[in-house]
């Protein structure tokens, strides 16, 4: 039964052909990732078809890049083209999570370094110079306890619109003195998911008057994101297919001195400062991952024919702990300046209206209420193919 004959081979021979150990092959069999072609009913010996070599090597390669076993099972069942798409989506998610952890690590380095300098007796003048450097590079308002600090507040407005094509609205938006949020639901329970995600953030009363430290704020943001994820799972549990329902979420929580950002999916947040509009979130989507690795140009991405595949979102699926951690929302802190204007929106707006037109509408509006009306109107003028949710908020000196 040698390989040259094209017949089945023993596990030892197949291990040599695939360059995997017999122990690994037995493990793959137990997990259902690579079944032998035949198992002797008397002695239990495993026999393999030499044509299974590529499949065995694929499993090994996917394990080497860290793909979870349950996802490997799905990949090896696909044809080559679909498997390539699935692997790209997985790796884009890994890179997005790595980038988020890198940003958090850099924040912690800066935060702890500054704290260490203060504790070691940094002079008053040096401390002021350090604060000035941070304000120049991060837009710090200096409103979190320094002498003569100005009190800042948020003025805001929210709007959702069903659009021209859709028959139901699964988007949700909220704007209040402590919370700004948009969510774009999908699937059978999409409307319930988007509403639940935002509702879970409303009770957040942490950070009153900027009382929490930066480290405590980061922990509070993580807890808020976890609360939203649990709320979505509960909301879509009654659906026939809860795993297929969920929502994006882009939210900013105001502490009185900082904005805490919670973001997952392809809804977006923008900052208008100095007349320029900056996107401050990163889409968790397949198209964005292809932009990141250079396989799509910005021009090609606009007309990309594939579906809007999300790499991360809040969904009804109950995930293993390791997967749940990898799929957490991004959380960040943002320092603010009086005069900043923020825009949060679902892709029903950002996907159909050019960034230049978004900027023009946000700049031209006298107040947030006028801005959200202008933006919804632009989406309708562009055909209104999707629901729209948008929030506009101004950072102002508190009277």
């Amino acid at each position: 039964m040698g390989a040259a004959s094209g017949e089945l081979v023993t596990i030892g021979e197949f291990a040599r052909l695939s360059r995997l150990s017999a122990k690994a092959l037995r493990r793959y069999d137990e997990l259902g990732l690579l079944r032998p072609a035949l198992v002797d009913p008397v002695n239990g010996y495993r026999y393999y078809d030499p044509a299974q070599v590529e499949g065995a090597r694929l499993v090994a390669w996917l394990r080497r890049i860290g793909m979870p076993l349950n996802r490997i099972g799905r990949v090896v069942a696909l044809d080559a083209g679909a498997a390539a798409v699935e692997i790209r989506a997985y790796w884009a998610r890994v890179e997005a999570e790595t980038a988020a952890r890198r940003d958090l690590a850099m924040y912690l380095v800066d935060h702890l370094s500054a704290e260490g300098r203060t504790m070691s007796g940094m002079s008053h003048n040096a401390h002021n110079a350090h604060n000035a450097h941070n304000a120049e590079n991060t837009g710090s308002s200096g409103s979190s306890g320094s002498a003569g600090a100005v009190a800042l507040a948020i003025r805001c407005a929210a709007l959702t619109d069903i659009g021209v094509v859709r028959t139901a609205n699964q988007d949700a938006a909220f704007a209040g003195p402590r919370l700004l949020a948009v969510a774009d639901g999908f699937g059978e329970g999409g409307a319930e998911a988007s509403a639940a995600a935002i509702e879970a953030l409303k009770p957040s009363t942490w950070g009153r008057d900027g009382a929490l430290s930066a480290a405590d704020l980061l922990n509070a943001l993580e807890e808020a994101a976890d609360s939203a994820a649990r709320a979505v799972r509960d909301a879509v549990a009654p659906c026939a297919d809860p795993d297929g329902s969920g929502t994006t979420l882009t939210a900013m929580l105001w502490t009185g001195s900082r904005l805490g950002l919670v973001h997952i999916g392809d809804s977006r947040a923008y900052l208008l400062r100095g007349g320029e509009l900056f996107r401050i979130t990163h889409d968790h989507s397949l198209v964005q991952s292809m932009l990141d690795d250079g396989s799509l140009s910005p021009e090609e991405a606009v007309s990309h024919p594939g579906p809007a595949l999300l790499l991360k979102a809040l969904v009804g699926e109950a995930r293993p702990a390791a997967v749940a951690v990898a799929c957490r929302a991004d959380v960040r802190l943002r320092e603010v300046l009086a005069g900043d204007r923020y825009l949060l929106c679902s892709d029903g707006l950002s996907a159909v209206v050019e960034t230049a037109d978004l900027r023009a509408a946000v700049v031209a509006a006298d107040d947030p209420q006028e801005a959200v009306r202008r933006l919804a109107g632009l989406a309708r003028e562009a055909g209104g193919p999707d629901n729209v949710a948008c929030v506009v908020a101004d950072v102002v000196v508190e009277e």
Side-chain angles (χ1 to χ4, degrees):
M1 298 203 303
S5 68
E7 298 178 356
L8 302 184
V9 298
T10 65
I11 189 171
E13 175 68 4
F14 190 74
R16 185 187 66 79
L17 292 172
S18 63
R19 299 184 180 179
L20 298 172
S21 69
K23 180 180 179 180
L25 292 173
R26 285 191 288 269
R27 179 63 172 158
Y28 294 165
D29 180 14
E30 292 167 0
L31 295 171
L33 300 178
L34 185 71
R35 297 292 193 190
L38 174 68
V39 177
D40 191 302
V42 178
N43 55 32
Y45 289 172
R46 295 172 171 87
Y47 297 94
Y48 292 82
D49 187 327
Q52 293 179 277
V53 166
E54 277 303 308
R57 289 177 177 171
L58 176 60
V59 172
W61 290 330
L62 294 175
R63 290 293 292 148
R64 289 180 65 182
I65 66 172
M67 183 177 286
L69 292 171
N70 63 339
R71 189 158 185 170
I72 291 175
R74 295 199 301 270
V75 171
V76 297
L78 300 172
D79 62 50
V85 171
E86 183 72 12
I87 294 168
R88 178 189 288 278
Y90 167 75
W91 193 249
R93 178 177 290 176
V94 170
E95 290 184 327
E97 289 301 323
T98 301
R101 289 194 294 270
R102 181 195 62 223
D103 291 347
L104 177 57
M106 291 302 97
Y107 167 79
L108 292 173
V109 168
D110 291 344
H111 172 68
L112 294 174
S113 297
E115 191 173 86
R117 285 194 296 272
T118 301
M119 292 176 65
S120 62
M122 183 171 60
S123 71
H124 179 71
N125 287 340
H127 184 60
N128 285 344
H130 173 72
N131 284 341
H133 173 75
N134 278 347
E136 179 181 351
N137 287 281
T138 66
S140 172
S141 64
S143 60
S144 53
S146 59
V150 296
L152 300 178
I154 294 289
R155 291 179 183 166
C156 52
L159 181 147
T160 65
D161 184 69
I162 195 171
V164 176
V165 176
R166 298 293 177 90
T167 58
N169 192 351
Q170 294 187 309
D171 283 12
F174 180 83
R178 290 282 171 181
L179 172 66
L180 314 169
V182 297
D184 182 357
F186 55 85
E188 176 192 355
E192 293 78 7
S194 60
I198 292 179
E199 194 65 31
L201 300 183
K202 288 183 182 179
S204 298
T205 56
W206 48 269
R208 292 187 183 279
D209 304 319
L212 293 185
S213 69
D216 288 338
L217 281 174
L218 282 172
N219 289 336
L221 287 170
E222 291 278 6
E223 291 171 6
D226 290 344
S227 295
R230 288 192 297 270
V232 169
R233 287 197 297 271
D234 292 342
V236 303
C239 296
D241 180 20
D243 293 358
S245 296
T247 186
T248 68
L249 177 66
T250 301
M252 304 190 85
L253 295 102
W254 174 241
T255 70
S257 61
R258 295 184 181 93
L259 280 168
L261 174 67
V262 177
H263 169 68
I264 187 167
D266 63 355
S267 295
R268 293 181 176 180
Y270 296 86
L271 166 64
L272 179 71
R273 177 179 287 173
E276 295 297 323
L277 189 68
F278 306 95
R279 175 150 63 105
I280 58 175
T281 53
H282 196 74
D283 292 351
H284 300 134
S285 68
L286 181 59
V287 167
Q288 182 64 58
S289 75
M290 295 172 74
L291 279 168
D292 294 341
D293 67 19
S295 56
L296 270 185
S297 69
E299 295 75 21
E300 291 169 332
V302 173
S303 57
H304 187 263
L309 177 62
L310 293 176
L311 302 181
K312 288 172 43 171
L314 302 178
V315 296
E317 181 181 9
R319 292 162 165 164
V323 179
V325 169
C327 294
R328 274 182 171 171
D330 297 342
V331 296
R332 289 181 177 81
L333 300 181
R334 292 204 58 84
E335 304 290 347
V336 298
L337 287 173
D340 286 348
R341 174 168 282 186
Y342 287 89
L343 163 64
L344 281 62
C345 66
S346 63
D347 69 339
L349 177 64
S350 60
V352 299
V353 178
E354 296 285 347
T355 302
D357 295 329
L358 290 179
R359 176 192 169 279
V362 173
V363 168
D366 290 333
D367 55 48
Q369 192 68 51
E370 180 186 347
V372 294
R373 287 197 299 265
R374 283 176 179 262
L375 293 166
L378 286 176
R380 281 187 167 263
E381 290 172 10
D386 198 357
N387 306 149
V388 170
C390 58
V391 168
V392 173
D394 290 345
V395 180
V396 299
V397 176
E398 193 169 32
E399 296 179 359

